[in-house]
């Protein structure tokens, strides 16, 4: 028995075969280096004005924030450039005529260039470093002199703040390669400042990277909170609509059941009814039962699996006194005022009016503990008016924010919108809160039209 071992043919170079993980990692690194520091290195990217919505800038006058505070980063960069230029002039050879001025220009230019072309400023800082040695008396420390060291640190910091952490890492690595290569070829490793420069710049870039990661995390959390709040509001709206649909399902189902029962019993109330009348009532009952079945099938989907239909009828304005007694027991001082001729309204209007008053009083208990409230009900021509108003809380410092703030108002607006009514809700002049609602009711003439 002969055992053969399968051999794997290595792909020829350039044949497009599979590459090793190390090769792909190196290729990705070179691709990132080319994208961050070589591709459009001198592209025009001006530093945008600073946002002035921070905790400190918000305290400034509007004019100062709008005209001056927004340029704070630009002013800091210019100030750092001037300090770097002053250091270069102090360390320059004073007997060189224009030497101190040229040395100052060599370090000032890259710093100012970070305001317009950040990546290009890094390359200019590297290129200007060896030339600054020409204007320094005594030599030593090549290719880094005091002015060029500070210049490069400022450039690295500003560019790192304006780009991503990966770009900062590439700049630090190229600085190390450049510094050690210059020492090996042209300078002395014993007098060079490359080592201290790399240590200080690594600490600075690490702090900048941490700051950027934190800012990115804050932006992501803020965006997520915005999305979550939107989804919460949307879910609350759907829940309110579901609650309204459940209640209306019970109301309509009750009325349709009454129609079916009355249509079935009507022929027995008339002695010797004609066959046409019996057939008409039978048709009414069949249509009512069919409509009831269709209603239950369509609207029944809004019920949760554990939802139990209430045994008692849905509340109306006649049950409002019991509601007010309950909130008084909870510690809310509330008054009730009724104007106009009290009359029976459609059950959907009565139910919605009751729920609106209930939710408004719940908001008073939640957001204005200790404040008094007043419920006004006006039976007017063409509809029903509601007004629930409360005063300011006696101790505003004791009021704690509620995670459901605004959701009760959403439910009230849904009920009003369903009935084609109007609603306003907002703070009152005395520091309290006021909810005003008008629910239209169709007029019924004497002939029932």
């Amino acid at each position: 028995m002969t055992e053969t071992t399968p051999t794997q043919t290595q792909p020829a170079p350039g044949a497009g075969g599979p590459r090793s993980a190390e090769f792909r990692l190196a290729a990705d690194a070179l691709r990132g280096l080319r994208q961050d520091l070589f591709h459009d290195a001198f592209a025009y990217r001006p530093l945008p004005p600073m946002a002035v919505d921070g905790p400190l800038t918000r305290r400034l006058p509007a004019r100062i924030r709008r005209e001056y505070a927004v340029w704070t980063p630009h002013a800091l960069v210019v100030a750092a450039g001037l300090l770097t230029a002053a250091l270069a002039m102090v360390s320059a050879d004073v007997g060189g005529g224009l030497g101190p001025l040229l040395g100052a220009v060599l370090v000032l230019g890259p710093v100012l260039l970070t305001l317009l072309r950040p990546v290009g400023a890094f390359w200019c800082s590297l290129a200007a470093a060896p030339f600054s040695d020409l204007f320094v008396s005594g030599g030593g420390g090549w290719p880094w002199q005091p002015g060029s060291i500070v210049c490069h640190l400022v450039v690295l910091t500003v560019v790192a703040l304006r780009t991503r952490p990966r770009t900062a890492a590439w700049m630090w690595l190229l600085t190390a390669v450049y510094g050690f290569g210059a020492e090996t070829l042209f300078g002395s490793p014993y007098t060079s400042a490359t080592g201290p420069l790399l240590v200080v710049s690594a600490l600075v870039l690490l702090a900048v990277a941490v700051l950027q990661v934190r800012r990115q995390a804050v932006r992501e959390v803020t965006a997520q909170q915005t999305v979550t709040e939107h989804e919460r509001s949307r879910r609350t709206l759907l829940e309110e609509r579901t609650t309204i649909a459940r209640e209306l399902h019970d109301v309509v189902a009750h009325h349709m059941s009454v129609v079916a029962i009355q249509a079935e019993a009507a022929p027995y109330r008339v002695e010797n009814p004609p066959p046409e009348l019996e057939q008409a009532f039978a048709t009414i009952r069949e249509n009512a039962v069919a409509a009831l079945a269709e209603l239950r099938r369509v609207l029944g989907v809004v019920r949760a699996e554990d939802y139990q239909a209430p045994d008692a009828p849905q509340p109306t304005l006649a049950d409002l006194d019991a509601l007010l007694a309950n909130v008084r027991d909870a510690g809310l001082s509330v008054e009730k005022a009724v104007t106009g001729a009290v009359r029976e309204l459609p059950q959907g209007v009565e139910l919605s009016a009751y729920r609106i008053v209930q939710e408004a009083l719940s908001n008073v208990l939640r957001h204005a503990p200790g404040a008094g409230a007043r419920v006004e009900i006006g039976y007017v021509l063409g509809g029903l008016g509601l007004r629930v108003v409360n005063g300011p809380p006696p101790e505003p410092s004791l009021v704690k924010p509620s995670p459901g703030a605004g959701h009760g108002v959403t439910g009230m607006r849904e009920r009003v919108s369903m009935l084609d009514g109007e609603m306003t809700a907002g703070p009152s002049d005395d520091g309290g809160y006021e909810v005003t609602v008008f629910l239209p009711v169709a007029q019924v003439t004497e002939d029932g039209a």
Side-chain angles (χ1 to χ4, degrees):
M1 180 177 180
T2 305
E3 180 180 357
T4 59
T5 302
T7 59
Q8 183 176 3
T9 305
Q10 297 293 333
R19 304 289 187 179
S20 64
E22 293 79 5
F23 179 86
R24 291 195 298 270
L25 184 61
D28 291 340
L30 292 177
R31 190 179 302 110
L33 173 62
R34 182 173 63 253
Q35 179 182 357
D36 292 341
L37 294 182
F38 289 93
H39 182 67
D40 290 338
F42 286 86
Y44 182 68
R45 300 185 182 95
L47 180 65
M50 182 184 69
V52 291
D53 55 352
L56 296 179
T57 54
R58 280 199 298 262
R59 302 179 181 180
L60 299 175
R63 182 173 177 273
I64 295 179
R65 281 186 290 140
R66 183 177 60 255
E67 298 182 4
Y68 301 102
V70 293
W71 306 110
T72 301
H74 304 74
L76 291 177
V77 173
V78 172
L82 294 177
L83 291 176
T84 304
L87 178 61
M89 295 183 67
V90 169
S91 60
D93 186 2
V94 295
L98 295 178
L101 181 60
L102 294 177
V105 171
L106 284 176
V107 297
L108 178 62
V111 174
L112 298 182
L113 191 60
T114 58
L115 298 174
L116 303 177
R117 308 177 192 274
V119 179
F122 165 75
W123 291 113
C124 291
S125 178
L126 282 183
F131 293 97
S132 62
D133 185 66
L134 301 176
F135 308 103
V136 177
S137 59
W142 197 92
W144 305 107
Q145 301 301 331
S148 60
I149 290 177
V150 178
C151 168
H152 202 63
L153 281 174
V154 173
V155 169
L156 288 177
T157 303
V158 176
V159 178
L161 286 171
R162 298 197 56 193
T163 56
R164 49 185 173 178
R166 189 180 73 175
T167 304
W170 281 122
M171 291 190 302
W172 185 88
L173 183 60
L174 289 180
T175 299
V177 172
Y178 172 79
F180 289 127
E183 290 176 4
T184 304
L185 296 178
F186 305 103
S188 172
Y190 300 102
T191 59
S192 175
T194 299
L197 172 62
L198 293 177
V199 173
V200 176
S201 61
L203 296 176
V204 172
L205 294 180
L206 179 61
V208 171
V210 172
L211 178 62
Q212 283 192 321
V213 170
R214 182 181 179 276
R215 287 179 177 176
Q216 181 64 25
V218 170
R219 285 194 294 266
E220 292 178 357
V221 169
T222 303
Q224 187 62 37
Q225 287 177 344
T226 303
V227 174
T228 302
E229 182 62 26
H230 175 73
E231 291 297 329
R232 185 184 297 114
S233 300
R234 184 173 179 271
R235 184 175 65 250
T236 302
L237 182 63
L238 294 178
E239 290 175 354
E240 292 293 340
R241 290 180 177 178
T242 301
T243 302
I244 296 172
R246 288 173 179 171
E247 295 175 347
L248 290 181
H249 173 270
D250 298 332
V251 171
V252 176
H254 168 73
H255 285 294
M256 294 301 296
S257 299
V258 172
V259 170
I261 294 173
Q262 290 179 344
E264 185 177 5
Y268 299 100
R269 297 184 178 183
V270 180
E271 185 178 358
N272 299 323
E276 294 81 1
L277 182 61
E278 292 184 352
Q279 181 61 36
F281 280 116
T283 302
I284 293 175
R285 181 183 181 279
E286 291 176 358
N287 290 334
V289 171
L292 183 61
E294 185 69 20
L295 177 67
R296 287 173 176 168
R297 182 168 60 251
V298 174
L299 296 183
V301 298
V302 303
R303 297 187 188 273
E305 294 181 359
D306 57 349
Y307 175 77
Q308 298 293 332
D311 297 331
Q314 294 290 355
T316 63
L317 289 177
D319 304 309
L320 198 58
D321 291 334
L323 173 64
L324 298 182
N326 289 334
V327 296
R328 289 191 185 103
D329 293 339
L332 176 64
S333 176
V334 57
E335 300 177 356
K336 173 187 172 184
V338 180
T339 58
V342 179
R343 64 184 186 276
E344 185 177 356
L345 301 175
Q347 192 167 358
V349 176
E350 296 255 356
L351 173 61
S352 295
Y354 179 91
R355 295 300 188 198
I356 290 172
V357 174
Q358 183 183 39
E359 184 59 43
L361 294 178
S362 299
N363 287 341
V364 176
L365 287 171
R366 187 182 303 115
H367 302 293
R374 179 179 175 84
V375 178
E376 299 177 1
I377 304 174
Y379 291 86
V380 297
L381 183 65
L384 176 71
L386 298 174
R387 181 173 180 264
V388 181
V389 59
N390 64 271
E395 295 292 338
S397 59
L398 299 180
V399 179
K400 296 187 174 13
S402 172
H407 294 167
V409 176
T410 301
M412 288 188 282
R413 291 190 186 279
E414 280 297 302
R415 293 182 182 275
V416 174
S417 175
M418 176 190 65
L419 297 174
D420 295 328
E422 298 178 359
M423 171 180 168
T424 58
S428 57
D429 295 336
D430 60 352
Y433 201 82
E434 179 178 347
V435 176
T436 305
V437 175
F438 176 76
L439 301 178
V441 178
Q443 296 292 319
V444 179
T445 59
E446 294 182 358
D447 59 356

